[in-house]
Amino acid sequence: MAPYKVHYALEVTRLKSFELGTSSAFEFQASPSEPQYFLYKFPPDVDSVIVKVVSMAVYPCSVVSIQDIVCPVYDLDHNVEFNGVYQSMTKEAAITVQKKDFLGEQFFVVFVIKPEDYACGGSVPASIQGINHTWNLQRMKTLEVTVVPSIKESVYVHAILFSFLSFFSFYLGSLVVAFVHYLRSRRKSCSGGASPEDGSGTATSSQPITVSTTEGSSYGAIDESSSSGGQQLSPLGHKAACGSDTDSSVEEESDFDTMPEIESDKNVIRTKVFLYLSDLSRKDRRIVSKKYKIYFWNIITIAVFYALPVVQLVITYQTVVNVTGNQDICYYNFLCAHPLGVLSAFNNVLSNVGHVLLGFLFLLIVLRRDILHRRCLENKDIYTMEYGIPKHFGLFYAMGIALMMEGVLSACYHVCPNYSNFQFDTSFMYMIAGLCMLKLYQTRHPDINASAYSAYASFAVVICLAVLGVVFGKNSVWFWVLFSIVHVVASLGLSTQIYYMGRFKIDLGIFRRVFMVLYTDCIQQCSRPMYMDRMVLLIVGNLVNWSFAIFGLVYRPKDFASYLLGIFICNLLLYLAFYVIMKLRSSERLLPIPLFCIVATAVVWAAALYFFFQNLSSWEETPAESREKNRPCILLGFFDDHDVWHFLSAAALFFSFLVLLTLDDDLDSVRRDRIPVF
């Protein structure tokens, strides 16, 4: 109550523009003490509309609400959230409204100006705090509202057909390539087949491979007179030699020693100056193949246990949004968010179908190669057993599953994208990049590649770091110092393992051994590195990773998840570039299919990254600030820039996988003791 009498005048005026028209803009002003609301009636031929609100001023913070025709109207700051659907707003807001949600086919559009700007990312100016108690009377905001019809059902049908037919064209292309390959193989078999090469183009090799080696023995072993430099290997035993040629053996790798008679000379073989593939493909093929198939079975287990709680959580999020009407929970591109059923942004979910379809197609392509390879083994084909890159498909199967799961989890994330579930969209991206690097390394190092258990444990550590980086990485210097130290130490440790081919033990004595190596090779006598190619790769790789560590420590980027993914992608591209350069330097060639896949990968990735950097929302900001980045649809009136990124990134990943699958097809008729290791 006022301590003295207050004189006031009450004026009642008739609103002339209470009902909003379709596709016609209406401008007005509102304040905390003078909220506004208007009526909109659906035309007979319109089933869905988008209420678009814009303002030239960021502040004061406001709330836009869509409410049913009831009395009273909830148009106050403390009760506007009690009814209908609402969004906080700075400069832009958009709400999609469907006729089926309102029995009277009409609704109120309510505008409330909040007395403070905290909900929109701002604060009360310090100059008016505690001084002018009537400061909120100055909080006038000019707004413009437009109600436009949304898309029709036919657009949904066209978008769904476009999504599936676009990726089914990849299936058709794969069938054509497979059919051409079948015709060529039939023609080649009728003409007597190809002659083996020694790596330099000659028809035969001067050093014969022991053809009597069976599948149960040390596959790829070379006669003692060959250039591999090692002693001739005896079979693992008569029982193993007479075993099945398939991978159906029930023995585990731990049941018996896979290198029983050459354990003593592993250090000698793997530390030669010039290594050939025969030196690193000496273990039993069946055991090594089973080792790599663990990648496949483990990733299926990880995917199931990871996906189930994710699906449950996003269903809960979507239910909360639908029940409460609070559209500040999820960070959509509201100018291009098309609902379907319970989903608020069906287009963002649908655009991930490419990852699933192309991941499944890649699995079919790998399965075809696997079946053909098994048939050749059953027929004791000399080229399959002793020539070319040893075929192990476990990592390829794992990559296909990872691509499918990336689509599933990305779709789950886009059901309600926000700060709490960002890792759903990135976890399998890290795994895909890691699996690609492991596959590239396994190609010429099949005996010494990382096991599935250590690889997935490393991925788990990376995902934990990603979560910690998002939670603590914005302002915490201690986190960036810790992460940079871990990054540099991990780079050095991995470099050491790669340089010494896994023969440099990592234990408590590592520091003494590192000191002795540095002292003898760098201080006592400055000698040329024994493995120059590996040293060049590792020096460049460490410089890149140290640059990332320094950049993160100095600038502390806000989007830690993308920063970490950038580290993985740069390392993968660096290793792939090194591999291709060394391949060409070794007088190997690129066949038409891998060359086409390399070009397609580069072109599609470039286009995909362009759309990726078109930021349409950001959960690092408030919902109102994020909506300032919203943009209209750009494809079929249904998909936005980020949806196009989903389409193109799925195709780019598919082509990337095909590069790894076909890159060394030119070596299928080259002896393994003529294939260099790099």
Side-chain angles (χ1 to χ4, degrees), residues 504-644:
F504 199 91
K505 294 183 178 179
I506 299 180
D507 52 21
L508 294 178
I510 186 174
F511 299 104
R512 180 180 62 83
R513 290 194 298 274
V514 169
F515 173 78
M516 292 301 298
V517 170
L518 293 176
Y519 177 76
T520 55
D521 292 351
C522 301
I523 300 177
Q524 193 175 37
Q525 58 177 6
C526 188
S527 58
R528 181 179 182 274
M530 183 176 295
Y531 316 110
M532 180 57 71
D533 293 332
R534 269 179 267 168
M535 179 59 73
V536 171
L537 168 67
L538 295 175
I539 288 176
V540 174
N542 276 276
L543 289 177
V544 170
N545 282 279
W546 295 354
S547 300
F548 267 105
I550 295 172
F551 175 83
L553 191 61
V554 173
Y555 293 98
R556 297 195 293 276
K558 293 182 178 180
D559 191 353
F560 181 81
S562 298
Y563 166 78
L564 188 59
L565 185 61
I567 294 175
F568 271 83
I569 293 177
C570 283
N571 280 275
L572 174 59
L573 293 177
L574 177 65
Y575 189 26
L576 180 60
F578 169 81
Y579 190 94
V580 173
I581 291 172
M582 292 300 298
K583 181 178 177 66
L584 298 176
R585 181 184 169 190
S586 302
S587 300
E588 299 174 9
R589 64 185 188 277
L590 294 175
L591 296 180
I593 289 181
L595 185 59
F596 167 78
C597 291
I598 290 174
V599 174
T601 299
V603 172
V604 178
W605 268 125
L609 290 175
Y610 169 80
F611 289 100
F612 175 75
F613 289 111
Q614 305 299 314
N615 293 326
L616 305 179
S617 61
S618 175
W619 45 257
E620 295 176 338
E621 301 172 342
T622 64
E625 292 172 328
S626 173
R627 272 186 280 274
E628 295 179 20
K629 301 179 178 181
N630 290 176
R631 297 181 189 175
C633 305
I634 62 170
L635 180 62
L636 301 177
F638 191 83
F639 298 110
D640 60 19
D641 297 76
H642 199 74
D643 295 324
V644 177

Side-chain angles (χ1 to χ4, degrees), residues 179-191 592-593:
F179 182 69
V180 172
H181 181 269
Y182 170 75
L183 294 180
R184 292 184 61 185
S185 62
R186 287 291 300 271
R187 192 176 307 159
K188 189 179 296 184
S189 62
C190 293
S191 61
I593 289 181

Side-chain angles (χ1 to χ4, degrees), residues 242-434:
C242 299
S244 172
D245 288 331
T246 66
D247 293 330
S248 59
S249 172
V250 296
E251 296 95 335
E252 295 292 341
E253 185 178 7
S254 59
D255 290 343
F256 56 88
D257 193 348
T258 59
M259 300 180 68
E261 298 190 18
I262 62 173
E263 185 69 26
S264 59
D265 67 352
K266 267 197 293 189
N267 291 321
V268 176
I269 293 174
R270 296 180 186 174
T271 54
K272 293 192 307 180
V273 178
F274 298 105
L275 275 172
Y276 292 91
L277 185 58
S278 57
D279 299 321
L280 297 179
S281 59
R282 303 162 71 90
K283 293 183 180 180
D284 184 280
R285 192 203 69 84
R286 293 174 301 151
I287 303 303
V288 176
S289 185
K290 286 176 66 68
K291 168 187 174 182
Y292 290 121
K293 283 193 173 178
I294 296 176
Y295 276 95
F296 172 64
W297 294 114
N298 278 12
I299 201 171
I300 290 180
T301 305
I302 293 170
V304 171
F305 279 92
Y306 197 94
L308 289 178
V310 168
V311 173
Q312 183 179 7
L313 181 62
V314 297
I315 289 176
T316 302
Y317 270 122
Q318 186 66 73
T319 303
V320 170
V321 171
N322 295 340
V323 171
T324 64
N326 182 4
Q327 297 201 351
D328 285 353
I329 297 176
C330 305
Y331 287 73
Y332 303 119
N333 174 18
F334 287 92
L335 290 178
C336 186
H338 303 297
L340 181 66
V342 298
L343 298 177
S344 299
F346 173 70
N347 54 301
N348 295 152
V349 176
L350 175 65
S351 58
N352 287 282
V353 71
H355 294 86
V356 179
L357 293 178
L358 293 185
F360 184 70
L361 175 59
F362 184 74
L363 288 177
L364 293 179
I365 294 173
V366 174
L367 178 62
R368 174 183 174 273
R369 287 203 167 208
D370 194 3
I371 292 173
L372 294 176
H373 179 67
R374 288 171 180 268
R375 289 177 182 174
C376 292
L377 289 176
E378 293 172 357
N379 295 330
K380 306 294 184 183
D381 182 65
I382 182 84
Y383 291 102
T384 304
M385 299 172 64
E386 310 292 354
Y387 287 75
I389 301 295
K391 302 296 192 296
H392 303 294
F393 297 98
L395 271 168
F396 283 128
Y397 285 122
M399 290 161 56
I401 294 296
L403 180 55
M404 295 179 68
M405 287 307 303
E406 171 59 29
V408 172
L409 293 179
S410 179
C412 290
Y413 165 73
H414 284 91
V415 169
C416 182
N418 58 51
Y419 175 85
S420 302
N421 59 10
F422 77 96
Q423 68 271 20
F424 303 161
D425 195 27
T426 56
S427 296
F428 272 80
M429 290 184 184
Y430 304 136
M431 296 183 70
I432 288 174

